[in-house]
């Protein structure tokens, strides 16, 4: 019979079976060593690669001292237009929301009754002036007669009294004329300042008087106030000029987090603290050329020093917290992870300043913390840090 071909694997398998039947012989051990790959190769094929983490470099940059507060926009000049005479509104000289100029007629109250009153007052004045002239002539004649002892002293005294009464009547009627003129002028309600006018509370045809609600509100808008309360300790960190004024910019952030493009300056710090909150009321002036600031709007106010100092900064995403405090995971030159505790400074948007514990150039993990443990080797991927001078205000 011919021989049945046997493969190398079959032969090796037979060898292993025989070795198992009679005990491991030296030849079987050699055969098994041939089947197993080298130990280093098995390690390379069985171990996963180092975990990928995102790192950023701790930087030393110019940072300005900043403090953020809640504030409210207020008009520097705000006027509530009110009627000073009674009558029906016959004209409105603006559209709601218009810009108006100082002296512009905004409302007109029916002037006819006031024109009549002025005419009557002027007639009364003319009559009293004529009476004064007659009394003056009578007094002069009586005085002449008295000097020649033709008229008695009593008659002279009566003439003098009538002259004084006539003069008083002229003064009274003249004031009535002035009052009538004022009332007629008050029928035209004019803008006392230039600015922007709001909603008209009363329509044409409404009857108004001095007790009526205001007709409309007029505010100036070229500049606005922003008023906010500041703890005394926060003001202590802001630099001052030689004159004692705060040398800082005031930045505004709207409720939608949009940064107002124009900075203002501190104009006033109250001389008394609020007894309930132990805070000082601060008022800043903000230019408003595009009228983007609206009176009574709530905003965030950031006071930023004009002078910057070098500070170490790190992203808040790198921070880890445990019972002992704050720490970060640092990746050294050999890509090994190290736990590093440090002291946190000021929060500035997505970053914090570093008081101690970290150095410029340290690589800290900002992504993939769960895959990294102290002592592990990782595969770092660099990411640029986004630095902020103040919360929500990235440095250019």
């Amino acid at each position: 019979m011919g021989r049945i071909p046997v493969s190398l694997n079959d032969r090796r398998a037979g060898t292993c079976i025989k070795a198992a039947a009679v005990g491991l012989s030296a030849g079987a051990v050699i055969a098994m060593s041939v089947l197993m790959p080298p130990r280093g190769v098995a390690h390379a094929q069985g171990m996963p690669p180092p975990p990928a983490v995102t790192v950023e470099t701790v930087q030393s940059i110019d940072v300005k001292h900043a403090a953020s507060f809640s504030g409210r926009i207020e008009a520097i000049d705000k006027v509530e237009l009110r009627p000073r005479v009674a009558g029906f509104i016959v004209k409105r000289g603006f559209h709601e929301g218009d810009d108006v100029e100082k002296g512009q007629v905004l409302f007109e109250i029916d002037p006819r009754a006031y024109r009549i009153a002025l005419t009557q007052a002027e007639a009364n004045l003319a009559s009293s002036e004529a009476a004064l002239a007659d009394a003056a002539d009578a007094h002069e004649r009586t005085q002449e007669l008295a000097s020649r002892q033709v008229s008695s002293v009593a008659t002279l005294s009566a003439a003098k009294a009538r002259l004084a009464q006539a003069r008083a009547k002229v003064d009274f009627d003249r004031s009535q004329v002035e009052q009538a003129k004022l009332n007629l002028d008050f029928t035209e309600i004019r803008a006392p300042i230039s600015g922007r006018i709001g909603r008209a509370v009363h329509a044409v045809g409404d009857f108004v008087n001095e007790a009526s609600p205001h007709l409309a509100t007029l505010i100036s808008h070229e500049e606005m106030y922003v008023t906010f309360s500041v703890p005394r300790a926060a003001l202590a960190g802001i630099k001052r000029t030689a004159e004692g004024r705060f040398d800082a910019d005031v930045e505004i952030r709207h409720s939608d987090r949009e940064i107002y493009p124009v900075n203002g300056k501190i104009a006033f710090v109250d001389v008394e603290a609020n007894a309930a909150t132990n805070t000082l009321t601060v008022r800043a002036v903000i230019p408003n050329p595009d009228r983007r600031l609206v009176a009574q709007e709530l905003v965030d106010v950031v006071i930023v020093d004009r002078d910057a100092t070098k500070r170490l900064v790190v992203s808040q995403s790198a921070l880890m917290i445990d019972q002992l405090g704050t720490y970060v995971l640092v990746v050294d030159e050999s890509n090994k992870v190290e736990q590093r505790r440090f002291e946190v400074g000021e929060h500035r948007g997505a970053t914090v300043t570093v008081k101690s514990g970290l150095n410029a150039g340290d690589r800290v993990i900002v992504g993939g913390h769960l895959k990294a443990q102290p002592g592990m080797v990782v595969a770092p991927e660099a990411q640029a840090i986004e630095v902020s001078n103040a919360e929500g205000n990235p440095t250019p």
Side-chain angles (χ1 to χ4, degrees):
M1 294 178 64
R3 294 184 177 179
I4 299 174
V6 180
S7 66
L8 179 60
N9 289 337
D10 294 334
R11 293 175 181 175
R12 289 177 177 173
T15 303
C16 292
I17 293 171
K18 292 178 181 179
V22 298
L24 289 176
S25 63
V29 173
I30 294 174
M32 292 179 67
S33 65
V34 172
L35 290 174
M36 295 178 61
R39 184 174 183 180
V41 176
H43 177 77
Q45 293 177 350
M47 294 294 291
V53 295
T54 305
V55 299
E56 68 180 25
T57 303
V58 178
Q59 299 182 26
S60 176
I61 64 168
D62 288 331
V63 176
K64 297 179 179 180
H65 174 83
S68 181
F69 310 94
S70 295
R72 187 180 295 276
I73 300 297
E74 297 176 352
I76 293 179
D77 292 317
K78 177 181 177 180
V79 179
E80 291 184 345
L81 302 172
R82 295 182 180 275
R84 300 186 65 177
V85 293
F88 292 94
I89 298 175
V90 295
K91 181 180 178 182
R92 193 179 81 186
F94 65 93
H95 294 289
E96 295 174 326
D98 276 354
D99 290 334
V100 298
E101 297 297 328
K102 182 178 180 179
Q104 179 179 335
V105 177
L106 304 177
F107 292 93
E108 184 177 350
I109 296 173
D110 189 352
R112 292 174 295 177
Y114 297 98
R115 289 198 186 103
I116 294 171
L118 175 59
T119 301
Q120 292 174 342
E122 289 174 339
N124 291 335
L125 175 61
S127 176
S128 61
E129 287 176 339
L132 173 61
D134 183 62
D137 290 341
H139 176 265
E140 185 177 355
R141 289 193 302 269
T142 304
Q143 193 173 29
E144 178 65 23
L145 294 173
S147 65
R148 292 184 296 174
Q149 296 183 350
V150 175
S151 177
S152 66
V153 175
T155 304
L156 178 61
S157 296
K160 186 182 295 185
R162 285 192 296 273
L163 178 60
Q165 289 176 349
R167 285 173 176 166
K169 184 64 166 63
V170 168
D171 290 341
F172 175 78
D173 289 343
R174 186 174 289 124
S175 67
Q176 292 297 101
V177 170
E178 294 300 322
Q179 183 63 59
K181 287 181 178 178
L182 279 177
N183 289 339
L184 183 59
D185 288 341
F186 290 156
T187 61
E188 291 184 341
I189 300 173
R190 299 177 179 271
I193 60 172
S194 297
R196 193 176 186 185
I197 194 164
R199 181 176 64 90
V201 179
H202 293 278
V204 173
D206 282 352
F207 181 85
V208 295
N209 55 32
E210 294 185 33
S212 300
H214 66 279
L215 305 178
T217 300
L218 176 63
I219 65 172
S220 61
H221 54 71
E222 293 300 324
E223 290 184 325
M224 303 291 280
Y225 284 140
V226 57
T227 303
F228 51 101
S229 296
V230 178
R232 182 67 182 85
L235 288 177
I238 302 174
K239 294 182 179 179
R240 295 177 182 250
T241 63
E243 295 79 16
R245 296 183 178 275
F246 289 99
D247 188 23
D249 291 324
V250 176
E251 300 176 353
I252 298 296
R253 183 174 62 245
H254 297 280
S255 57
D256 59 359
R257 314 297 292 180
E258 180 185 4
I259 302 299
Y260 185 67
V262 184
N263 291 344
K265 59 182 180 180
I266 295 176
F268 167 76
V269 178
D270 206 346
V271 295
E272 290 184 330
N274 186 307
T277 62
N278 196 30
T279 57
L280 293 171
T281 298
V282 179
R283 176 180 287 168
V285 177
I286 309 291
N288 190 32
D290 299 330
R291 297 179 232 164
R292 294 175 58 182
L293 297 178
V294 180
Q296 299 305 308
E297 176 186 5
L298 288 173
V299 295
D300 289 330
V301 184
V302 182
I303 302 178
V304 184
D305 275 349
R306 291 193 175 97
D307 296 330
T309 56
K310 288 288 187 182
R311 304 285 293 276
L312 293 177
V313 294
V314 64
S315 291
Q316 291 194 37
S317 56
L319 273 59
M320 306 287 286
I321 300 176
D322 61 12
Q323 293 89 342
L324 300 180
T326 305
Y327 67 92
V328 293
L329 297 178
V330 179
V331 179
D332 63 15
E333 295 181 355
S334 59
N335 293 339
K336 183 177 291 187
V337 178
E338 169 194 350
Q339 185 186 63
R340 186 86 59 82
R341 298 194 178 276
F342 77 106
E343 187 177 0
V344 179
E346 299 173 355
H347 289 256
R348 298 180 178 275
T351 64
V352 296
T353 59
V354 179
K355 288 186 176 180
S356 62
L358 293 175
N359 301 310
D362 285 343
R363 294 185 301 170
V364 297
I365 296 178
V366 294
H369 297 84
L370 297 179
K371 298 183 291 183
Q373 297 294 329
M376 290 180 56
V377 175
V378 295
E381 298 176 0
Q383 170 183 290
I385 186 173
E386 181 181 352
V387 181
S388 296
N389 267 338
E391 186 177 352
N393 187 15
T395 302

